[in-house]
Amino acid sequence: MAVDELQAIIQRCQILEEADFKGEDFNLFQVAGQKCLEDGYAAQLLEVIQNEKNKASLSLHYILVIIKNMGWNLISPLVRCIFMYKQEDDKREQCLRILDQLAQLCNPKELFLGLLEQIEQMSGEQVCQTVMLLLQPLQTVLLKLQNKKAYSVGLSLAMIMNQLTPLPVPYTKQQIQEDKLGLCQCCNAVVDFAKPFVNEVVKNMEKSSEYNDMELKEELIKFCMKSLKYPLLTAQLEQLEGIEEHPFRHFATEIIDILWNIGELIPLAFVHHKGKSPHWENQEFAAIEQKNSADSLACLSYLIFVQHFGVECFPVVFSPSYLLLCNMTHIEVLLKRTEESVLSKGLDLFESCLLRMEDNSLLHHYLEFRDFINVPQDLVKIMTLCPMEHMRKKSLNILQLFIDKFDTEGKYTLFRCLLKTSNHAGVEGYIIKNMKDQIHLASTKEYDNIWFTGHHLISLLDLVLSLPEGAETDLLQNSDRIMASLNLLRYLVIKDCESDNPTGVWTTLGKIEQNFLKPLRVGLNMSKAHYEAEIKNKKEKRKEAHSSNTVCSVSVGGEKMPAMTTGMQLQVLQSALFTFDLIESVLARVEELIEVKTKADENS
């Protein structure tokens, strides 16, 4: 039996002095201890380990020597046994007490490596259970270490976070409540594990205003940065009904508290961290490190400015425009992601910053910053490519909010940029409608606006009142832009008289007719003729087939669509003709207005 073997080893070693111990003595005790655990004799092993006689008797102190040097080898079988027994089983409690004794008696350095090795070996469902089981003994060991404590704390936190990172983050209310893998509970346990080391840094900072021992502080910053990227970047952080204490909101609060306590919250929120960062010879590794840092800082800004974690720590001295400037880099990082949980954080952060501002208060100079051009372009991509309708709608609303905040020159510059870069007829049509609103405001007496009148407006109209490929432009694909352009031109012709001409449209009318109206008329005639011929051809083929259920293939914008019956194709073609008729009716009205106005001015 395992117990008999253990007793035999104890009796054998009683007659030996510490100097006479051989490697086989240590190995025999280790093997016997493992067998005791595996065979269910944890109580007997616990009795040997915690026997007070061993501490008092010089003849029996060898037990402590063996445990100190070899006890860490019992970690793996101990963990297996703890998971094997049920929560209420006495044997589980005995194993936990053995683990606690090992943390007190073993060589800290050896046990530290043994605990980390055990955490590293786990995967899947056992990761969180193992981490939570070993956090307390690991903390005990780290607090005992004298040399390389900062390095060891950093290694421990990095190992734990690396093991947790592959696990899926619970997102829905049900997933958070169930917490199947224990991630929610484990994350908060890790924060508690780090608190003694945070307190140590804080205490040292209080002792000296020039706190020079940055190593432990740097390791804690790294931990916070990793925590911001995972799990907080992808976690659902809105307050959920029915969950009294949201685990990820609690975790976020703790991370913010750590950063505040060690004096890094405000520097990280407003300036990229300038502390030590690893130097990578490999540029690919350097790029990964930079991206991870950007993700973490973006999440930090979201926590502060949207969820208001730690906002009470900030001095109320920053202007809304400065806060927007500081956050645009973070907003860009978030909007380039495709996951709903991350993308929504970017939209919320952008919206939150904009809502702090008054309309027309954002100076056009801000568009000299790269982010102020990139972010609206990212919004356009979301509006046109995101598969989630609510995200597309929200992006459109935020784009309008962004436009509204700029002064008139800023709006003018932004319109030019989006018209040149969006490459989407619907977006271009939307911008043209905004242009029309600004032109209308410029025409009222209370607005002294030079940017949407005269030569500035004419320069903008050159972008709007033209066809990209002349008469051969795909009118169907560009119908939103064309209709918006025609409506704008109709407004300008009605609003202005040729003699007054505040917008300058009459000065450039010849150019507009040459670059826009005439090619549009030719293109409409060509397109209508083509589609009418297609309709006629389809009808004839249907008659020949004597069935409307014949399956055909259709390409739209160069992309092959799912198989359609001839009847369905005819509906699509008829819809296209209706669009052409609509464009033609507005075009005819514009041409009529120009003719009437021109004659009226000639007769006056």
Side-chain angles (χ1 to χ4, degrees):
M1 288 176 62
V3 176
D4 295 335
E5 290 181 22
L6 184 64
Q7 290 297 333
I9 294 165
I10 292 172
Q11 290 173 7
R12 162 182 160 76
C13 294
Q14 278 180 338
I15 58 174
L16 297 176
E17 295 295 329
E18 181 176 343
D20 297 326
F21 286 163
K22 298 178 182 178
E24 64 180 280
D25 297 317
F26 290 100
N27 293 335
L28 287 170
F29 181 83
Q30 176 190 331
V31 171
Q34 289 179 356
K35 281 186 178 180
C36 282
L37 290 171
E38 291 165 359
D39 293 349
Y41 297 107
Q44 286 78 356
L45 180 60
L46 175 63
E47 184 180 351
V48 169
I49 291 175
Q50 68 179 9
N51 193 334
E52 290 297 321
K53 291 179 182 178
N54 297 333
K55 300 174 186 177
S57 171
L58 289 175
S59 62
L60 294 174
H61 80 288
Y62 64 86
I63 292 292
L64 298 180
V65 175
I66 294 176
I67 293 171
K68 178 180 178 182
N69 291 280
M70 296 299 294
W72 67 272
N73 286 288
L74 297 175
I75 295 295
S76 183
L78 258 178
V79 170
R80 285 199 301 271
C81 290
I82 290 169
F83 289 151
M84 182 175 66
Y85 298 128
K86 293 182 179 179
Q87 196 74 30
E88 63 279 2
D89 197 316
D90 289 341
K91 291 181 179 179
R92 176 186 170 88
E93 180 59 31
Q94 291 157 2
C95 289
L96 290 172
R97 288 169 64 188
I98 292 173
L99 183 59
D100 181 61
Q101 286 293 313
L102 292 179
Q104 301 297 330
L105 300 174
C106 286
N107 181 307
K109 182 180 176 182
E110 297 293 340
L111 187 57
F112 166 69
L113 294 175
L115 291 169
L116 282 196
E117 183 181 355
Q118 189 62 36
I119 291 172
E120 187 180 23
Q121 288 174 353
M122 293 301 173
S123 61
E125 296 181 2
Q126 288 189 320
V127 169
C128 291
Q129 296 176 33
T130 305
V131 169
M132 286 189 286
L133 174 66
L134 299 182
L135 278 177
Q136 186 57 56
L138 184 58
Q139 185 188 72
T140 301
V141 168
L142 287 170
L143 290 171
K144 287 183 175 183
L145 288 177
Q146 298 300 320
N147 298 323
K148 295 187 177 181
K149 178 190 273 190
Y151 170 79
S152 300
V153 170
L155 184 62
S156 301
L157 290 169
M159 174 73 72
I160 290 167
M161 295 308 294
N162 287 341
Q163 288 297 92
L164 296 180
T165 299
L167 302 179
V169 178
Y171 189 73
T172 65
K173 177 181 174 180
Q174 182 179 352
Q175 288 171 345
I176 291 171
Q177 287 177 320
E178 289 177 354
D179 192 20
K180 283 186 177 179
L181 298 179
L183 181 64
C184 300
Q185 186 181 354
C186 187
C187 286
N188 286 295
V190 174
V191 169
D192 290 337
F193 163 82
K195 283 181 179 178
F197 311 109
V198 176
N199 294 337
E200 183 176 330
V201 171
V202 172
K203 204 173 284 185
N204 288 332
M205 289 170 66
E206 289 171 351
K207 285 179 183 176
S208 171
S209 57
E210 297 180 1
Y211 175 55
N212 296 319
D213 185 12
M214 294 294 292
E215 288 186 16
L216 184 55
K217 184 177 179 181
E218 285 289 338
E219 296 299 343
L220 293 171
I221 293 170
K222 289 177 188 176
F223 164 64
C224 291
M225 293 289 277
K226 285 185 179 181
S227 300
L228 289 166
K229 181 174 172 61
Y230 175 93
L232 293 176
L233 184 63
T234 53
Q236 162 65 269
L237 293 168
E238 298 293 337
Q239 193 63 263
L240 298 174
E241 188 179 348
I243 299 182
E244 187 173 339
E245 187 172 30
H246 192 310
F248 288 127
R249 287 181 66 86
H250 181 265
F251 182 62
T253 302
E254 296 284 358
I255 293 298
I256 294 291
D257 284 348
I258 290 174
L259 290 173
W260 172 253
N261 289 331
I262 63 176
E264 290 293 325
L265 182 60
I266 292 179
L268 282 174
F270 290 101
V271 184
H272 283 281
H273 183 51
K274 295 181 179 178
K276 295 178 184 178
S277 58
H279 174 71
W280 299 102
E281 295 294 339
N282 187 316
Q283 290 302 308
E284 186 178 346
F285 288 162
I288 292 171
E289 181 73 20
Q290 187 176 7
K291 182 183 181 303
N292 288 340
S293 176
D295 287 341
S296 300
L297 292 172
C299 183
L300 178 63
S301 282
Y302 169 81
L303 293 177
I304 295 169
F305 297 107
V306 178
Q307 295 298 335
H308 304 125
F309 291 118
V311 76
E312 69 280 357
C313 303
F314 283 76
V316 189
V317 295
F318 303 114
S319 69
S321 56
Y322 178 72
L323 291 178
L324 178 63
L325 175 63
C326 291
N327 280 304
M328 283 300 270
T329 299
H330 306 315
I331 292 165
E332 184 181 2
V333 167
L334 296 171
L335 293 188
K336 289 194 184 301
R337 298 284 288 269
T338 55
E339 309 96 311
E340 180 183 1
S341 56
V342 182
L343 191 55
S344 63
K345 287 182 175 65
L347 293 174
D348 288 343
L349 179 57
F350 197 13
E351 183 180 44
S352 175
C353 291
L354 292 173
L355 289 174
R356 298 169 191 266
M357 306 182 70
E358 297 290 334
D359 286 354
N360 308 307
S361 65
L362 190 60
L363 300 178
H364 60 277
H365 304 297
Y366 282 90
L367 287 168
E368 296 173 8
F369 294 101
R370 178 183 58 83
D371 300 326
F372 279 77
I373 295 297
N374 291 347
V375 166
Q377 291 176 354
D378 290 333
L379 278 180
V380 166
K381 289 177 184 176
I382 299 168
M383 286 160 48
T384 57
L385 300 175
C386 182
M388 294 165 281
E389 184 182 4
H390 67 284
M391 290 289 193
R392 296 197 301 271
K393 288 181 176 179
K394 184 163 186 175
S395 299
L396 178 61
N397 293 336
I398 292 174
L399 178 62
Q400 185 61 60
L401 202 58
F402 188 54
I403 292 169
D404 293 342
K405 301 307 172 186
F406 274 102
D407 59 18
T408 51
E409 186 177 349
K411 289 183 175 72
Y412 177 88
T413 306
L414 187 58
F415 291 162
R416 286 188 70 89
C417 172
L418 291 174
L419 285 170
K420 288 181 177 180
T421 61
S422 67
N423 297 316
H424 189 277
V427 175
E428 291 164 0
Y430 187 79
I431 296 302
I432 293 167
K433 289 174 186 174
N434 266 275
M435 279 177 54
K436 180 184 167 188
D437 294 338
Q438 292 304 311
I439 293 167
H440 177 72
L441 286 174
S443 67
T444 60
K445 290 182 180 179
E446 60 265 29
Y447 281 87
D448 184 17
N449 184 347
I450 64 169
W451 291 97
F452 291 95
T453 59
H455 70 277
H456 289 300
L457 177 58
I458 289 171
S459 175
L460 203 54
L461 291 177
D462 287 342
L463 290 174
V464 173
L465 301 178
S466 62
L467 293 177
E469 297 174 26
E472 296 180 358
T473 300
D474 187 335
L475 301 185
L476 196 60
Q477 190 172 353
N478 288 278
S479 60
D480 288 339
R481 174 195 169 112
I482 292 168
M483 284 297 294
S485 299
L486 284 171
N487 283 324
L488 173 60
L489 183 56
R490 179 174 60 178
Y491 169 81
L492 292 173
V493 171
I494 293 172
K495 189 78 176 173
D496 275 7
C497 296
E498 191 170 2
S499 56
D500 189 12
N501 193 27
T503 64
V505 68
W506 293 99
T507 307
T508 190
L509 187 59
K511 190 177 182 181
I512 293 170
E513 287 180 335
Q514 188 65 33
N515 294 341
F516 184 56
L517 298 179
K518 287 181 180 178
L520 181 56
R521 173 62 68 185
V522 173
L524 276 172
N525 292 336
M526 290 168 56
S527 297
K528 287 181 71 175
H530 172 72
Y531 275 77
E532 285 168 353
E534 279 290 312
I535 289 172
K536 183 179 178 182
N537 184 37
K538 296 294 179 189
K539 287 180 177 178
E540 288 176 356
K541 284 186 176 181
R542 185 168 67 175
K543 285 179 183 178
E544 291 173 7
H546 300 293
S547 171
S548 63
N549 293 322
T550 306
V551 176
C552 309
S553 63
V554 173
S555 293
V556 176
E559 293 187 9
K560 194 170 183 180
M561 301 298 288
M564 301 170 69
T565 64
T566 304
M568 292 165 67
Q569 288 184 79
L570 283 169
Q571 286 181 348
V572 172
L573 295 169
Q574 289 286 2
S575 177
L577 272 182
F578 176 77
T579 301
F580 295 144
D581 288 340
L582 195 60
I583 293 173
E584 188 173 36
S585 67
V586 181
L587 174 60
R589 178 61 179 151
V590 169
E591 291 172 334
E592 180 187 348
L593 286 168
I594 291 172
E595 185 179 353
V596 170
K597 283 263 190 173
T598 304
K599 285 181 179 179
D601 286 333
E602 287 174 356
N603 294 332
S604 60

